[in-house]
């Protein structure tokens, strides 16, 4: 029997146990994935030590601890070093190995559901937290045409330093939203705005999208997976834009984490079928 866990604060919104159950059943192995709320950053180490002692094979890390957890790792892979964040931990012989799968999972979701990223793709990335840091590192390998919008300039400056000081940083105000969305091929929300239980929160008014003539040619991706369709996505969809839920990103993250923790290759998972199953089954539990 193998065990893994999700740690963060909050974790109630996560549907990851249902996904891990699905993969384990597919591979016919005994497996359980738990959601564990860690009250504060000062509790992180004690929780990690406890999970290590009781024999967990791995841990997923969600907000707000993706940066804080880095200092407790014994080893970091290239993605964790590059992003200075960890969202996946493998436990081997009492040692903690840190990875970050956020960026590659986001790109896999975007390219599966929205568009193929090329050097000519214009991207507007909203946010500069843990997920955004991983996403920008992966995006920059494919396109240099990135603009960042964030509430705090210093946070955004720290993030773009991971890849290039030349990436423009914009303020979160209506006129700039209109200008930057008008220029973008792909708009990414990597903030927690609109996440369950604050489903009605939104980054900007839908009227901004109504005033963009080319809105039907644009793609919108939200790193949030619960609710399945955030206000960010529903507002874009009503004007004909193409959208992708963060549930796809989560599915790819879980497949990557499962492979890291078990050393098993997963080749026969139909991501779209998993997406439909989670939409029908997992979200009714919320």
């Amino acid at each position: 029997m193998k065990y893994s866990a999700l740690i963060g604060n909050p974790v109630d919104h996560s549907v990851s146990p249902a996904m891990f159950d699905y993969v384990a059943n597919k591979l016919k192995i005994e497996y359980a994935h738990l959601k564990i709320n860690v009250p504060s950053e000062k509790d992180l180490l004690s929780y990690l030590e406890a999970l290590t002692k009781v024999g967990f094979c791995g841990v997923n890390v969600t907000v707000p601890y993706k940066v804080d957890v880095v200092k407790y790792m014994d080893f970091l892979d290239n993605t964790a070093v590059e992003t200075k964040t960890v969202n996946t931990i493998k436990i081997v012989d009492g040692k903690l190995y840190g990875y970050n799968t956020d960026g590659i999972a986001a790109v896999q979701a975007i390219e599966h559901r929205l568009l193929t990223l090329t050097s000519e793709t214009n991207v507007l990335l909203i946010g500069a937290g843990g997920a955004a840091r991983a996403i920008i590192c992966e995006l920059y390998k494919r396109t240099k045409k990135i603009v960042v919008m964030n509430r705090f300039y210093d946070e955004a400056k720290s993030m773009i330093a991971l890849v290039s000081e030349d990436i423009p940083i914009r303020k979160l105000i209506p006129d700039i939203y209109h200008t930057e969305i008008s220029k973008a091929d792909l708009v990414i929300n990597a903030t927690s705005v609109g996440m369950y239980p604050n489903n009605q929160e939104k980054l900007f008014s839908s009227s901004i999208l109504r005033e963009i003539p080319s809105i039907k040619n644009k793609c919108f991706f939200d790193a949030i997976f619960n609710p399945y369709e955030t206000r960010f996505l529903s507002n874009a969809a009503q004007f004909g834009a193409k959208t992708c839920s963060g549930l796809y990103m989560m599915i790819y993250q879980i497949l990557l984490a499962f492979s890291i923790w078990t050393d098993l290759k997963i080749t026969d998972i139909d991501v779209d079928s998993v997406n439909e199953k989670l939409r029908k089954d997992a979200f009714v539990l919320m």
Side-chain angles (χ1 to χ4, degrees):
M1 183 77 174
K2 290 184 178 293
Y3 296 92
S4 61
L6 170 71
I7 62 171
N9 185 12
V11 294
D12 289 343
H13 66 285
S14 178
V15 297
S16 59
M19 176 63 192
F20 278 104
D21 286 345
Y22 180 90
V23 176
N25 290 334
K26 199 77 167 154
L27 297 175
K28 296 181 172 56
I29 63 174
E30 289 188 289
Y31 196 95
H33 185 75
L34 308 178
K35 296 190 287 189
I36 300 174
N37 190 79
V38 178
S40 69
E41 189 276 330
K42 64 183 175 60
D43 301 307
L44 262 178
L45 182 58
S46 61
Y47 275 73
L48 290 170
E49 289 175 340
L51 292 171
T52 300
K53 286 178 182 177
V54 297
F56 276 58
C57 65
V59 181
N60 275 146
V61 184
T62 189
V63 292
Y65 302 130
K66 293 181 182 183
V67 175
D68 296 325
V69 78
V70 172
K71 60 181 171 285
Y72 301 122
M73 298 299 102
D74 296 295
F75 304 95
L76 295 171
D77 91 323
N78 290 338
T79 61
V81 171
E82 184 179 43
T83 64
K84 296 181 173 59
T85 59
V86 164
N87 80 325
T88 303
I89 302 169
K90 183 175 184 177
I91 303 173
V92 182
D93 297 329
K95 301 292 185 182
L96 302 177
Y97 294 73
Y99 302 78
N100 193 299
T101 63
D102 280 336
I104 187 61
V107 166
Q108 286 175 327
I110 288 164
E111 296 203 319
H112 177 65
R113 295 292 299 176
L114 298 176
L115 78 169
T116 299
L117 296 166
T118 73
S119 60
E120 296 303 310
T121 305
N122 291 287
V123 181
L124 173 60
L125 175 62
I126 306 169
R133 291 163 74 95
I135 290 170
I136 200 171
C137 287
E138 206 61 40
L139 284 174
Y140 198 73
K141 297 172 185 175
R142 294 160 175 80
T143 178
K144 307 298 185 284
K145 296 183 176 182
I146 302 170
V147 173
V148 170
M149 293 183 72
N150 194 57
R151 183 179 177 187
F152 302 110
Y153 179 84
D154 288 345
E155 183 183 41
K157 191 71 175 174
S158 172
M159 180 183 74
I160 68 167
L162 298 172
V163 290
S164 171
E165 296 284 356
D166 296 329
I167 292 176
I169 300 170
R170 306 287 189 243
K171 295 179 180 179
L172 299 177
I173 58 178
D175 286 349
I176 295 179
Y177 268 123
H178 181 275
T179 298
E180 296 304 335
I181 294 173
S182 296
K183 293 189 293 187
D185 302 304
L186 170 66
V187 185
I188 299 173
N189 174 34
T191 76
S192 60
V193 175
M195 186 173 76
Y196 176 89
N198 301 310
N199 299 26
Q200 296 308 308
E201 288 183 345
K202 56 185 179 181
L203 288 164
F204 49 79
S205 169
S206 61
S207 63
I208 289 174
L209 302 181
R210 184 184 295 113
E211 296 164 1
I212 297 174
S214 59
I215 191 67
K216 291 183 179 180
N217 299 324
K218 300 184 184 302
C219 298
F220 287 71
F221 172 75
D222 202 325
I224 293 171
F225 59 83
N226 193 357
Y228 182 81
E229 186 177 58
T230 57
R231 290 288 297 276
F232 174 78
L233 295 181
S234 62
N235 285 344
Q238 73 171 311
F239 296 111
K242 197 172 181 180
T243 64
C244 177
S245 168
L247 186 59
Y248 275 95
M249 175 178 167
M250 190 200 76
I251 292 168
Y252 281 113
Q253 284 173 315
I254 286 174
L255 294 176
L256 290 164
F258 205 95
S259 293
I260 289 169
W261 295 335
T262 66
D263 295 318
L264 296 172
K265 290 185 178 180
I266 305 169
T267 57
D268 62 342
I269 299 291
D270 183 333
V271 173
D272 292 312
S273 296
V274 175
N275 173 72
E276 286 305 310
K277 180 175 176 58
L278 289 178
R279 285 185 69 183
K280 291 176 182 176
D281 299 342
F283 286 104
V284 299
L285 302 176
M286 300 306 299

